[in-house]
Amino acid sequence: MTPSIFRRALMVLLTAAAVASLAACQREAQPEWRLNDVSGHLPDLDFKLTDDNGNPVTGADYKGKVAVMYFGYTHCPDVCPLTLTQLHVILDRLGPAAENVRILFVSVDPARDTPAVMHAYVNAFDKRAVGLVGSQAAVEALAKRYRSAFTREPDRGDGNYEVSHSSAIYFFDAEGKARLLATPSASQDDIVHDLHLLTSLETRS
Amino acid sequence: MMARSLALALILSIGGAAHAADKPAVEAKSGWVRVLPGNLPAGGYVTFENRSDRALSIVGAASPQYGNAMIHRSSTDGGMGRMEMVDSVPLPAKGSLAFAPGGYHVMLMQPKQAVKPGDKIVVTFTLSDGETIPATLLARPANASGPTD
Ligand SMILES: [Cu+2]
């Protein structure tokens, strides 16, 4: 299997898992999610990385906050800014509940993305965004954990290169449990709707 | 009689010239650039309108304010976000073409001077017939969604 077929197969599996989980949970009073419910099908939020202030952080540091995780890199001028801008608009629409949400932007370009570069980048989008960097191995392990993938493309000849990366957006509840999965084309209304539910789950527990 | 027809010819020709200046065959509008911190490459977006009956394409871009400009296309097919360089983007006859986030964009690299929101960026696009289309793109903050709020 080529890597791309492999990735596609994984996405299909993931979607099938989401549908299966939806069916399994029908009996209980579940929140009516509009995004793909992945509860029980993806592992809890767990990593050892460095944040954009240069501090070592783990998944546990974000307990108490709903975490919205997205893989990308700063030399990505189009798709990553589009997603980060959408998340910014969504958090603004969420109102005060957005204080209980953190956007975790994980760099898939460890060679160029330093904490300082990440700091300037994420803050240009939203003050509730955190940039996370780590070694190639650490980021690969994290991507694998969430069945995500990234590939450094060949150098364009001027020392610049692109990194193709999964565009999925992962939502974790305040206890660090993986709950939802969205694509960047998901409607903002649906994400706002589900974030309202996710942040209210958190305040009730 | 002579004077009258001369005046008429003059009026007609002025009218014709003004008409041509108002409505070029291809126009670029609603342009904007997403400014990112530092020297990071920036995406430029613009809408082209082709009033002619000829199908054309956009084949190149250059900006005096950037060392390098390229036409790219992003996609998120199969759940993978990626970007590729394209040689030509079709602009249909009597139609329009939008460079917009998540799709076609002009990738502006190596800013010669720091670009900040509010700046005007000049980008000249080259058409398949050899014509050039000047466009002014408004520099917008990183988290802008378009040319205006
Ligand atoms: Cu690009």
Side-chain angles (χ1 to χ4, degrees):
Chain A
M1 269 202 300
T2 70
S4 128
I5 291 171
F6 184 56
R7 265 179 240 122
R8 239 162 251 167
L10 278 177
M11 285 308 287
V12 170
L13 269 177
L14 214 54
T15 312
V19 171
S21 85
L22 211 64
C25 298
Q26 220 88 78
R27 278 158 269 131
E28 303 154 43
Q30 279 289 311
E32 288 194 18
W33 304 116
R34 292 188 188 168
L35 304 174
N36 299 307
D37 186 345
V38 294
S39 304
H41 297 281
L42 281 176
D44 295 355
L45 188 64
D46 188 22
F47 54 77
K48 280 198 177 90
L49 295 168
T50 302
D51 75 7
D52 59 84
N53 289 310
N55 299 317
V57 286
T58 68
D61 288 318
Y62 301 95
K63 284 249 164 84
K65 302 284 181 196
V66 167
V68 180
M69 185 172 75
Y70 177 67
F71 293 91
Y73 64 112
T74 68
H75 279 70
C76 167
D78 189 46
V79 171
C80 306
L82 175 60
T83 302
L84 290 172
T85 296
Q86 284 170 338
L87 292 175
H88 165 71
V89 170
I90 284 162
L91 290 195
D92 276 358
R93 283 184 54 189
L94 204 57
E99 289 318 309
N100 298 319
V101 180
R102 289 293 173 272
I103 300 166
L104 305 181
F105 181 66
V106 182
S107 172
V108 291
D109 187 10
R112 290 185 296 195
D113 287 340
T114 62
V117 169
M118 289 288 274
H119 187 76
Y121 190 82
V122 296
N123 279 290
F125 292 96
D126 197 287
K127 303 293 170 214
R128 294 152 293 204
V130 178
L132 298 173
V133 298
S135 66
Q136 183 79 21
V139 179
E140 268 171 18
L142 180 63
K144 200 172 162 198
R145 183 176 169 82
Y146 294 102
R147 302 175 210 179
S148 173
F150 60 95
T151 316
R152 181 169 158 169
E153 303 295 343
D155 203 303
R156 285 203 305 258
D158 54 0
N160 273 308
Y161 57 89
E162 309 305 336
V163 186
S164 296
H165 56 91
S166 300
S167 52
I169 308 167
Y170 301 81
F171 297 81
F172 298 84
D173 67 19
E175 286 167 8
K177 299 240 173 292
R179 301 300 292 257
L180 302 164
L181 186 64
T183 64
S185 54
S187 93
Q188 290 190 353
D189 287 353
D190 288 354
I191 300 179
V192 169
H193 174 270
D194 281 9
L195 276 175
H196 268 302
L197 287 179
L198 214 44
T199 50
S200 61
L201 279 185
E202 179 259 320
T203 45
R204 251 186 269 133
S205 63
Chain B
M1 189 64 187
M2 187 76 157
R4 221 168 78 189
S5 61
L6 197 69
L8 194 67
L10 209 61
I11 288 162
L12 284 174
S13 77
I14 289 167
H19 184 77
D22 279 348
K23 296 216 169 217
V26 176
E27 202 185 347
K29 46 188 192 183
S30 310
W32 64 288
V33 173
R34 186 191 296 286
V35 178
L36 297 175
N39 280 329
L40 291 172
Y45 309 101
V46 68
T47 300
F48 298 95
E49 200 179 322
N50 181 5
R51 296 193 183 87
S52 78
D53 340 306
R54 284 183 310 148
L56 292 163
S57 26
I58 314 289
V59 297
S63 170
Q65 286 139 293
Y66 287 85
N68 196 357
M70 275 195 256
I71 296 173
H72 278 181
R73 188 175 61 151
S74 303
S75 68
T76 52
D77 295 345
M80 284 295 275
R82 56 166 66 83
M83 198 164 74
E84 59 181 2
M85 212 171 105
V86 290
D87 295 328
S88 130
V89 187
L91 174 56
K94 301 258 183 231
S96 64
L97 160 70
F99 278 22
Y104 290 113
H105 55 276
V106 55
M107 174 111 144
L108 300 163
M109 289 160 285
Q110 298 132 32
K112 292 180 181 167
Q113 277 184 342
V115 176
K116 52 184 192 317
D119 289 355
K120 294 210 158 71
I121 309 298
V122 175
V123 179
T124 303
F125 292 93
T126 308
L127 296 178
S128 46
D129 64 0
E131 287 290 314
T132 54
I133 306 298
T136 303
L137 280 57
L138 179 64
R140 299 276 293 141
N143 58 10
S145 298
T148 54
D149 286 322

